[in-house]
Amino acid sequence: MSQDQKCTTPNLRYVQYDSSQEAIQLPAIRQLISKDLSEPYSIYVYRYFLYQWGHLCFMALDEDDKVIGVVVSKLEPHRNGPLRGYIAMLAVRAEYRGNGIATKLVCMAIDAMIAGRAEEVALETEITNVAAMRLYERLGFLRSKRLHRYYLNGNSAFRLVLYTREAVGVGVPGRLQNDDLPPG
């Protein structure tokens, strides 16, 4: 299939990373991400995220169980304060883009981070990546900072933040019920 063809997605499966499948899943994740992202991540970066937060990594698989999309995330206290989720990597094979796969993967990661009590979710994306900016802003992320020459390729980035609880920021409509919020 050529890269300019759009794929339909009726037989996709969305799965959580499974450490017992590392020998199969990790090389597939690395290959997909290294093809699409500008940063050259070593095997140790992937292992850092997957060994500690594999439950926050989700993949889209095609009908042949090939990884066609992935999101890699983490969740930990931010500067001894609120729990902050972080979306480290997101990639979808070019011929599958425009079908809502990235949106589904990001929402799965956000939902898992919220279930883990994340008060905010942050990420960085290149300012030239219009599709990513559109995706994240559509999901409620706000631009919090411009990072000059952030990437190794010299491109600048925006840090984007999604506040998941009304007490922290603007809130995420429809994501939390009032009884999920802390009292007060």
Side-chain angles (χ1 to χ4, degrees):
M1 179 177 310
S2 71
Q3 284 196 337
D4 57 336
Q5 285 180 300
K6 286 290 182 184
C7 294
T8 56
T9 58
N11 296 319
L12 292 185
R13 288 187 315 119
Y14 293 86
V15 298
Q16 190 175 53
Y17 175 76
D18 179 357
S19 61
S20 72
Q21 298 294 312
E22 177 181 347
I24 297 166
Q25 292 178 347
L26 182 53
I29 291 169
R30 285 186 72 196
Q31 181 181 24
L32 180 61
I33 290 172
S34 68
K35 184 176 181 183
D36 286 337
L37 298 187
S38 61
E39 295 295 287
Y41 296 112
S42 77
I43 187 70
Y44 302 107
V45 173
Y46 292 97
R47 288 182 174 153
Y48 167 76
F49 285 100
L50 296 175
Y51 286 6
Q52 295 181 81
W53 301 285
H55 64 287
L56 298 176
C57 173
F58 298 93
M59 298 170 291
L61 308 177
D62 68 10
E63 58 276 353
D64 298 321
D65 282 339
K66 290 192 173 111
V67 177
I68 58 101
V70 64
V71 63
V72 177
S73 309
K74 73 176 185 172
L75 177 63
E76 60 186 359
H78 178 63
R79 297 183 180 167
N80 298 320
L83 280 177
R84 175 185 264 188
Y86 180 73
I87 297 176
M89 303 170 215
L90 172 67
V92 174
R93 270 188 23 203
E95 65 267 26
Y96 284 89
R97 293 179 190 156
N99 290 297
I101 297 166
T103 300
K104 171 83 172 168
L105 290 168
V106 169
C107 286
M108 291 173 76
I110 291 169
D111 288 344
M113 289 184 261
I114 289 172
R117 309 293 291 157
E119 294 184 20
E120 58 191 42
V121 178
L123 60 94
E124 293 86 26
T125 191
E126 290 188 38
I127 62 171
T128 57
N129 191 340
V130 176
M133 293 294 298
R134 208 176 294 137
L135 163 73
Y136 293 122
E137 289 178 341
R138 190 176 68 244
L139 292 174
F141 283 82
L142 304 171
R143 296 178 192 189
S144 72
K145 188 183 290 186
R146 184 182 174 128
L147 305 164
H148 183 66
R149 298 181 57 84
Y150 181 77
Y151 292 103
L152 291 177
N153 64 8
N155 283 350
S156 296
F158 281 118
R159 174 157 303 131
L160 304 175
V161 179
L162 174 72
Y163 297 101
T164 63
R165 304 201 187 281
E166 290 179 27
V168 174
V170 296
V172 181
R175 285 225 180 256
L176 294 175
Q177 303 299 318
N178 285 334
D179 56 343
D180 291 329
L181 296 174

